[in-house]
Amino acid sequence: MPFRVRIDGKEVILEKRTTILNAARRAGVDIPSLCYDERLQPYGSCRLCMVEVKGKGLITSCSTFVEDGMEVNTETPEVVKHRRTILELLADRYPAEAAKLDTRLSQLLRRYGVEAKGAEDPRLMDERHPWISVDLSRCVLCYNCVRVCEGYIGRLIWRTLYRGQQTIVMPETGSLATSSCISCRACVDVCPSGAIVDKVMASARPTSWGETACSMCSLSCPLRVGFEDSRPVYVEGRRDLLPFAAECLRGKYHWEDLVYVPERPEGPRLRRGGRSWSRASLDEALGVIAEGLRKATGEGGPGSVGVIVSSRLPAEAYYLSQLLARAALRTNNVDVASSLLPSFSELAPIGGPLSTLPLSSLDDVDSFLVIGPLEDYHPALASFIRRQSLQGRSRLILISSEDDKLANAADIHMAVDVRRAPDALRALRWRPPRRDSWTWPRPPSCCLTRPPGPLRSGR
Ligand code: SF4
Ligand code: SF4
Ligand code: FES
């Protein structure tokens, strides 16, 4: 049954039940919000999204569902007075310097003409993390960082300390740099006050954007690339396809190591006679390649040539290389020089070129068996598995080192030296011999740190 709602005099017809805030957005009415993020469950901590509903008074629009026939007013004098009071309370502590930036809070302060009066407190600033700056004097206690890190990423980095006026959020160890943060940047993405900031983005000024697929692992996450003067300066996950920008350190930050390495040739080079390389034009290099391929295929057929592609290229280059090999040269001899990645990461069968399965196809998996430090090679897949396990949707059996970053999410952790993972796999097949046997082999040296239990509730 469709819902008919009137928001600021505009009639909105909704096919599905949704919150007042979302209904208003659909009607083009902008209700201010600070703690609301459509990717998280509504929490209702900031109270800035208050609206007046006929017959009900002031209520938070981010956490209240519409009802058929509801009449909502979003900017009555009482609503505006309420919002200004909240903003003035926040502005008392919010640093004036931060109010000049383009944060969600500073935009609201400008919109309602409220002046920030606080000052930055060096004791609350932390620049030790390589990618993320923290300035908790800007924090407005919306708890988005706590909720996204715990509920979505499966880490418990952000903690709430003290009570009442003294309440503060802090990383578990006092500093992100010494915490078990995996640099996924999800907390940066949801912080509305600029208290947690991406250092790279803070200095980058992209003037145009493009889209690509990450080639750092076989998941091929969809990415947006920001360019300044045609040079890539910033990378983030596509928000329409990845809920929190991106979850992977490699895709977001390590592209610089690939693009801006000094050894990278900036144009084609040829060996003319001797062993040394000399610069060549693209046309000249292509001419030499075409000539060589024509000669080789003429003499030995398509199977006598092959294409080996650098592993330091964008995903589009791999697609074009396949086309060149299979469609133009008529050979299946095409491969990637994978010296960049350990060979077993190439085997990951989900989401990558070896499979058409997206990550979401793992939603219904009962149990994952992870061998080795998955977090180091497939951070996005590791985050997915951690979340599934912590939310009780799947069981996680981990065979890896004692300090593996997935250990806190594992139901069973077989702590072994990763170099001995094959022994651990053999041990899984170990069965005690019959009681009347002469010899009694030693049990495997690896240990079960947590006993296998039933699948947790919440499934
Ligand atoms: S970057 Fe990711 S892992 Fe680190 S604190 Fe933020 S949400 Fe948690
Ligand atoms: S640091 Fe940012 S996201 Fe976390 S509670 Fe403070 S304002 Fe909210
Ligand atoms: S946005 Fe609704 S309470 Fe914060």
Side-chain angles (χ1 to χ4, degrees):
M1 182 191 96
F3 295 87
R4 283 171 190 275
V5 189
R6 195 164 278 280
I7 301 175
D8 288 348
K10 290 186 194 169
E11 188 175 64
V12 191
I13 300 172
L14 302 154
E15 289 306 318
K16 278 197 211 148
R17 201 154 182 246
T18 183
T19 59
I20 298 174
L21 186 79
N22 281 331
R25 285 184 179 174
R26 214 164 295 169
V29 176
D30 179 23
I31 299 177
S33 65
L34 206 55
C35 69
Y36 177 74
D37 189 298
E38 61 195 6
R39 299 159 293 182
L40 297 171
Q41 288 290 319
Y43 190 61
S45 65
C46 75
R47 323 301 285 176
L48 269 171
C49 65
M50 284 281 188
V51 291
E52 200 170 307
V53 175
K54 194 171 173 190
K56 291 185 187 247
L58 293 184
I59 50 178
T60 49
S61 61
C62 70
S63 53
T64 309
F65 281 98
V66 293
E67 286 168 18
D68 194 32
M70 206 177 223
E71 277 191 39
V72 181
N73 284 300
T74 68
E75 291 274 335
T76 63
E78 199 183 344
V79 168
V80 172
K81 186 173 160 218
H82 174 86
R83 268 184 214 141
R84 281 187 61 90
T85 306
I86 294 176
L87 286 171
E88 279 163 10
L89 287 171
L90 294 176
D92 264 353
R93 286 173 52 176
Y94 196 59
E97 278 304 305
K100 294 178 194 155
L101 304 174
D102 198 24
T103 67
R104 214 182 317 160
L105 176 56
S106 55
Q107 286 167 3
L108 286 178
L109 293 176
R110 286 196 281 275
R111 174 168 161 184
Y112 286 89
V114 178
E115 195 186 335
K117 297 181 185 144
E120 313 233 279
D121 182 346
R123 289 170 305 169
L124 295 173
M125 294 178 180
D126 185 4
E127 293 287 336
R128 283 171 284 175
H129 190 285
W131 314 108
I132 298 171
S133 295
V134 176
D135 179 356
L136 292 175
S137 48
R138 299 177 182 180
C139 174
V140 292
L141 294 177
C142 68
Y143 304 111
N144 283 0
C145 54
V146 181
R147 294 188 300 133
V148 75
C149 190
E150 178 181 348
Y152 190 83
I153 306 302
R155 316 299 294 185
L156 292 160
I157 310 292
W158 292 98
R159 304 276 166 88
T160 309
L161 300 179
Y162 315 125
R163 286 167 182 245
Q165 287 283 316
Q166 313 302 324
T167 307
I168 189 170
V169 298
M170 284 283 273
E172 54 180 357
T173 53
S175 168
L176 268 195
T178 51
S179 71
S180 53
C181 169
I182 56 169
S183 307
C184 69
R185 203 167 59 186
C187 55
V188 173
D189 210 32
V190 296
C191 177
S193 67
I196 315 172
V197 174
D198 181 329
K199 288 182 184 174
V200 180
M201 188 55 181
S203 58
R205 296 280 173 274
T207 48
S208 59
W209 291 87
E211 286 173 4
T212 186
C214 181
S215 55
M216 299 288 273
C217 84
S218 59
L219 285 181
S220 308
C221 288
L223 300 178
R224 288 178 82 222
V225 182
F227 295 91
E228 194 179 334
D229 297 332
S230 309
R231 287 172 70 81
V233 289
Y234 186 69
V235 170
E236 65 176 20
R238 275 183 56 190
R239 284 157 202 250
D240 51 334
L241 298 173
L242 295 168
F244 291 99
E247 295 174 26
C248 171
L249 174 72
R250 299 169 87 197
K252 283 192 308 265
Y253 298 117
H254 285 189
W255 58 273
E256 284 185 341
D257 302 343
L258 300 187
V259 177
Y260 295 125
V261 277
E263 297 83 15
R264 190 177 186 115
E266 287 183 356
R269 295 180 188 203
L270 285 176
R271 274 198 186 121
R272 296 183 175 90
R275 289 204 56 77
S276 60
W277 294 98
S278 60
R279 286 179 183 275
S281 70
L282 191 56
D283 283 346
E284 188 188 0
L286 286 175
V288 170
I289 294 167
E291 178 61 35
L293 288 172
R294 206 173 289 126
K295 190 165 170 231
T297 49
E299 289 169 4
S304 63
V305 295
V307 177
I308 298 177
V309 193
S310 161
S311 56
R312 299 186 169 222
L313 292 173
E316 290 80 357
Y318 300 134
Y319 173 70
L320 292 175
S321 310
Q322 295 230 33
L323 274 189
L324 172 71
R326 296 188 210 281
L329 299 173
R330 309 251 168 233
T331 178
N332 287 329
N333 298 337
V334 54
D335 210 341
V336 176
S338 54
S339 56
L340 176 71
L341 303 170
S343 55
F344 71 81
S345 78
E346 298 286 310
L347 297 176
I350 306 299
L354 300 179
S355 159
T356 52
L357 287 176
L359 206 51
S360 57
S361 65
L362 299 178
D363 275 349
D364 295 329
V365 169
D366 266 352
S367 300
F368 291 99
L369 171 62
V370 173
I371 304 165
L374 184 69
E375 185 91 49
D376 295 347
Y377 297 105
H378 278 288
L381 182 56
S383 280
F384 176 86
I385 292 176
R386 179 188 297 107
R387 189 165 59 246
Q388 293 293 96
S389 176
L390 289 175
Q391 291 177 356
R393 298 207 185 104
S394 309
R395 196 181 275 154
L396 169 59
I397 301 161
L398 177 66
I399 302 177
S400 192
S401 59
E402 197 165 356
D403 58 353
D404 191 287
K405 293 173 194 152
L406 267 182
N408 71 338
D411 294 270
I412 301 172
H413 181 193
M414 196 180 276
V416 295
D417 180 337
V418 281
R419 288 166 302 182
R420 297 198 58 204
D423 293 340
L425 281 176
R426 264 178 238 119
L428 284 178
R429 294 170 52 203
W430 181 80
R431 291 274 183 286
R434 283 175 36 214
R435 274 179 161 275
D436 54 0
S437 164
W438 274 103
T439 53
W440 189 266
R442 284 162 63 83
S445 57
C446 43
C447 57
L448 295 182
T449 53
R450 274 167 59 182
L455 218 51
R456 281 160 286 164
S457 59
R459 256 182 83 72

